Amino acid sequence: MPTVHDVPSDLLIKRLCEHLRRMPQVAPPAWAYYAKTGSHTERPSYDRDWWYTRVASLLRKIYLHGPIGLSKLEAIYGGRKAVGFAPAHHRDGGGSNIRKALHQLEAAGLVAKQTTKGRVVTTKGRSLLDRLSNEIFK
């Protein structure tokens, strides 16, 4: 049976966005349309549905790299920030949007928090990702 490792990430994230949009626990906060995704970005996202893409991407990252903590996820979703004439520096992604998305995934029962190591995908989340991967692979 194919898993997340066997399918292209863009197809899986797009299909997962459609599934998460139907879940009542996952919804963008009111500030999500105006907020930047980190200090390295200059403007808020142009995509109005960026919240669902971020939540789907987080679920996939936790599946692949879990158990993983918030600080590692902030580093993954960070980027380059221009610093005048000096070379660009890395800045971590915004922790608030990652944290809120993780809380929503926990409320949906797809992710669970371990005591010391970070967050892992639950059996419900693993079966969802494997089922979607199997559909995409076919």
Side-chain angles (χ1 to χ4, degrees):
M1 183 167 153
T3 62
V4 172
H5 300 281
D6 303 326
V7 295
S9 61
D10 57 340
L11 297 177
L12 178 64
I13 289 173
K14 184 185 287 187
R15 183 77 61 92
L16 193 54
C17 283
E18 295 168 4
H19 182 78
L20 291 173
R21 199 171 277 127
R22 294 190 299 263
M23 297 181 85
Q25 295 91 353
V26 179
W31 52 261
Y33 300 112
Y34 310 107
K36 300 189 314 179
T37 57
S39 65
H40 63 284
T41 59
E42 292 184 2
R43 297 173 185 245
S45 179
Y46 291 117
D47 183 15
R48 297 292 287 173
D49 293 330
W50 72 270
W51 184 261
Y52 296 105
T53 307
R54 176 59 58 97
V55 173
S57 175
L58 277 168
L59 185 58
R60 181 182 169 275
K61 289 282 186 198
I62 295 170
Y63 181 96
L64 293 174
H65 303 293
I68 189 168
L70 181 66
S71 61
K72 294 281 187 185
L73 290 169
E74 288 174 353
I76 289 171
Y77 288 102
R80 295 168 54 99
K81 180 172 177 76
V83 192
F85 288 104
H89 299 294
H90 177 80
R91 292 285 184 258
D92 288 346
S96 178
N97 58 31
I98 296 172
R99 194 176 317 106
K100 300 284 191 283
L102 289 174
H103 289 312
Q104 289 181 0
L105 287 172
E106 286 176 1
L110 302 174
V111 171
K113 189 174 186 181
Q114 284 188 340
T115 54
T116 57
K117 304 247 181 192
R119 288 178 170 87
V120 294
V121 177
T122 61
T123 55
K124 181 180 174 183
R126 187 170 296 278
S127 67
L128 170 67
L129 286 167
D130 288 341
R131 182 173 47 84
L132 291 176
S133 299
N134 192 12
E135 290 174 6
I136 292 170
F137 194 78
K138 286 182 181 177

